Amino acid sequence: VAKVKDLDERQVLTDPAWYCRPPGVPRVGPPQKIVQTAKELVFLYDDLNGNFFRVVRMNAEHRTDIDPSAHGDSVGRWEGDTLVIDTISIDERTLISGNGWFHSDQVHVIERLRRPSLNYLEYQYSVEDPKVLTKPWTSAWKTFSLGNEDLTENFCTNNENAEQLRKLIEIEAGKGK
């Protein structure tokens, strides 16, 4: 409860996007482009906060020899026409969504992508986290229009006003001087 209250008061200050950090899974959402090799898919993201990539190893087991990262350890498989991506080892500094939804080191995300036609991609995710949630939570399916635009080069400039905003919020909350 205390962590939720703190996030309500200081959400902007805890958001990794404010500090040019990768958004994390599933917050990063569906990829803008997918590159396929024999054993993996590489997801490319064109985000206002920068360009990101993510590797999904197909028909593989999760690795146990890695440290948590923003986009975690992702393995994929096909269930009919649906790509199912199973992700663990997600860095606790990321958020599940932009509204301050935090998670623990035990978070487990399952994403589903399907393409009902040439023009659309559908995306859904489920979140399990025994330290934060009382039961798994699943998003509604979201539909995205597909285009043929090139990715653009984006980079974050490490928000120069972050420290000034932190001081202002602390003063308004009566915690700073």
Side-chain angles (χ1 to χ4, degrees):
V1 173
K3 192 167 184 177
V4 171
K5 184 178 178 188
D6 184 53
L7 281 174
D8 285 344
E9 293 175 359
R10 299 166 38 105
Q11 180 178 340
V12 170
L13 298 177
T14 60
D15 189 340
W18 187 256
Y19 299 98
C20 299
R21 295 186 194 122
V25 171
R27 184 178 182 185
V28 71
Q32 279 74 39
K33 295 223 182 229
I34 300 174
V35 178
Q36 182 176 353
T37 71
K39 295 182 180 182
E40 61 191 18
L41 301 173
V42 179
F43 287 3
L44 302 175
Y45 299 93
D46 180 357
D47 184 85
L48 292 176
N49 222 25
N51 296 103
F52 302 101
F53 72 92
R54 178 173 163 210
V55 176
V56 178
R57 293 175 299 108
M58 295 300 292
N59 303 309
E61 298 293 323
H62 282 293
R63 294 173 23 196
T64 57
D65 62 339
I66 62 169
D67 290 327
S69 64
H71 297 139
D73 180 50
S74 298
V75 295
R77 68 183 183 281
W78 287 98
E79 290 181 1
D81 66 349
T82 302
L83 175 61
V84 179
I85 303 164
D86 184 306
T87 304
I88 61 170
S89 297
I90 303 171
D91 190 320
E92 287 183 84
R93 292 175 292 182
T94 65
L95 300 175
I96 298 298
S97 66
N99 64 1
W101 181 1
F102 63 91
H103 62 84
S104 77
D105 63 340
Q106 297 296 306
V107 71
H108 178 205
V109 176
I110 304 285
E111 298 164 282
R112 297 184 188 305
L113 289 105
R114 61 186 182 202
R115 192 170 177 180
S117 71
L118 290 175
N119 298 322
Y120 296 99
L121 180 73
E122 294 177 333
Y123 177 75
Q124 178 192 56
Y125 63 91
S126 297
V127 178
E128 299 173 6
D129 191 335
K131 289 184 175 178
V132 176
L133 301 172
T134 58
K135 63 182 182 179
W137 183 86
T138 300
S139 73
W141 281 96
K142 294 180 183 176
T143 302
F144 297 88
S145 295
L146 296 175
N148 292 320
E149 296 85 23
D150 290 333
L151 293 175
T152 58
E153 183 177 348
N154 289 312
F155 57 92
C156 189
T157 57
N158 199 5
N159 197 327
E160 297 167 2
N161 298 319
E163 191 57 36
Q164 182 180 0
L165 180 62
R166 176 187 303 278
K167 288 178 183 176
L168 180 62
I169 289 174
E170 288 177 351
I171 289 170
E172 289 179 3
K175 297 178 184 176
K177 297 180 180 182

